[in-house]
Amino acid sequence: MFFMFDTLEGYIKPGTIEADLVQKIDFSHLPVHIAVIMDGNGRWARQKNLPRTEGHKAGSKSVKEIVEASARLGIKYLTLFAFSKENWKRPEDEVNTLWELLRKYLIDESQVLEENDLKLKVIGEKKGIPFLVRKELLRVEKLTKDNQRMTVVLALNYGGRQEILEAINRLIKRKDSLKEVNEETFSRYLDTADLPDPDLLIRTSGEMRLSNFLLWQCAYTELWVTPVFWPDFQKKDLIQAILDYQKRERRFGGIIKGEGTNRE
Ligand code: FPP
């Protein structure tokens, strides 16, 4: 089924929790880039006496819901941590299920992404990704490369430390006389070179860790952790995260305007 992710009109039903929450959003102060550590698929499944793979399947549905909700709300970049470098340590059938779900997502959703002006981008080490998934990723990246409304970034076979090391190695290999590197030049060697740093990082299922995700990029990112498992994460939770973000005063290491250390 294809549909246009129009505005919020008709999407949020009157009288629901999200209808109440959405009214409180200040649309002139949205986070530009939201990153998400989608955690808790396994625990969600265990709670229901289901195999872990069922948790991942349910997690795919949340991916669709949150991509749509983010686009409709006006978020410009949404980065999802879908497969980490460490995830290879899981049993083979779980690893295979995760890649198969990803391939299915790309096949099912490429038209939805394209018709709604959404661009797909991948960060992480592409050459470790199974061939058939890589083929789909390349196809969808190419199909959606000129889209403008929102960029969906999938972190696949991704690790923050590995990304930083690869950037350093790319820098070393440069033959010209690069004498000094500053933050801006270094950022251009990361997988996220053309993306702004995340404003808000959401982590589901209650863990208070970064888990090797966007280590460089999250230096000043606001963190929001919810106990909700990823398969239960819905648009109302996303709106709640945005509302909490909007209450925060971001100082980037500085001080609040007008609050100097006046000791006279
Ligand atoms: C963490 O849950 C989640 C993952 C390791 C992968 C996320 C994958 C999906 C949501 C499905 C496919 C993705 C897309 C983009 C279609 P966990 O298994 O670590 O949960 P646990 O900590 O409760 O065991």
Side-chain angles (χ1 to χ4, degrees):
M1 186 182 65
F2 306 134
F3 42 80
M4 291 300 286
F5 297 170
D6 218 358
T7 53
L8 291 168
E9 201 102 10
Y11 175 63
I12 293 194
K13 294 190 185 65
T16 56
I17 302 172
E18 50 266 30
D20 181 40
L21 290 173
V22 87
Q23 281 181 14
K24 298 180 182 143
I25 295 181
D26 172 359
F27 283 92
S28 66
H29 178 45
L30 283 174
V32 174
H33 183 175
I34 299 181
V36 189
I37 300 178
M38 310 183 284
D39 196 12
N41 294 352
R43 275 163 283 170
W44 180 90
R46 194 166 60 226
Q47 222 182 33
K48 295 183 154 38
N49 264 326
L50 294 168
R52 291 178 59 80
T53 47
E54 289 302 315
H56 298 313
K57 273 187 211 158
S60 293
K61 290 198 189 126
S62 296
V63 169
K64 290 182 197 167
E65 159 134 358
I66 296 311
V67 167
E68 176 172 0
S70 302
R72 287 184 186 264
L73 286 165
I75 303 305
K76 297 306 288 180
Y77 300 88
L78 175 71
T79 298
L80 303 172
F81 200 3
F83 195 96
S84 73
K85 286 270 183 190
E86 290 76 27
N87 285 155
W88 291 107
K89 292 182 204 148
R90 296 186 177 207
E92 198 181 335
D93 70 323
E94 184 173 343
V95 168
N96 291 342
T97 301
L98 280 168
W99 288 119
E100 199 38 43
L101 281 171
L102 219 112
R103 198 171 74 89
K104 189 168 168 357
Y105 172 81
L106 295 166
I107 293 169
D108 292 353
E109 297 296 296
S110 61
Q111 211 55 27
V112 174
L113 294 172
E114 170 59 2
E115 291 185 4
N116 290 288
D117 198 19
L118 310 184
K119 185 200 289 200
L120 181 85
K121 181 184 163 68
V122 179
I123 58 169
E125 201 192 340
K126 275 208 178 106
K127 72 175 192 298
I129 297 174
F131 174 72
L132 288 178
V133 183
R134 212 160 69 214
K135 208 172 111 189
E136 271 310 305
L137 287 168
L138 289 175
R139 180 184 72 79
V140 183
E141 274 188 318
K142 198 167 155 208
L143 175 75
T144 62
K145 72 176 179 2
D146 296 322
N147 292 348
Q148 301 281 331
R149 180 175 179 178
M150 180 176 86
T151 302
V152 178
V153 184
L154 293 181
L156 295 172
N157 196 24
Y158 176 86
R161 285 188 174 181
Q162 290 85 348
E163 183 194 22
I164 291 170
L165 285 175
E166 272 160 33
I168 294 170
N169 284 319
R170 276 197 285 269
L171 263 164
I172 293 171
K173 278 191 196 124
R174 273 183 56 145
K175 295 252 168 2
D176 59 16
S177 53
L178 197 66
K179 293 234 172 54
E180 205 179 278
V181 185
N182 58 28
E183 286 187 19
E184 208 198 313
T185 345
F186 184 69
S187 299
R188 276 192 245 126
Y189 285 81
L190 293 167
D191 293 1
T192 51
D194 48 354
L195 307 173
D197 287 342
D199 302 290
L200 172 64
L201 172 66
I202 296 173
R203 180 162 189 155
T204 59
S205 94
E207 310 289 349
M208 303 280 186
R209 283 191 293 276
L210 273 183
S211 297
N212 203 13
F213 188 44
L214 300 174
L215 297 181
W216 171 275
Q217 298 85 343
C218 283
Y220 293 104
T221 300
E222 295 294 327
L223 309 180
W224 192 78
V225 178
T226 171
V228 172
F229 295 144
W230 176 250
D232 288 330
F233 192 87
Q234 294 167 357
K235 52 180 172 291
K236 68 171 164 40
D237 303 294
L238 178 71
I239 299 170
Q240 191 67 66
I242 293 172
L243 289 174
D244 272 22
Y245 165 85
Q246 293 189 328
K247 282 190 214 132
R248 300 187 193 180
E249 182 88 41
R250 298 184 79 194
R251 297 195 297 276
F252 300 94
I255 56 167
I256 302 171
K257 247 195 205 153
E259 263 191 26
T261 45
N262 191 348
R263 297 212 174 118
E264 277 108 43

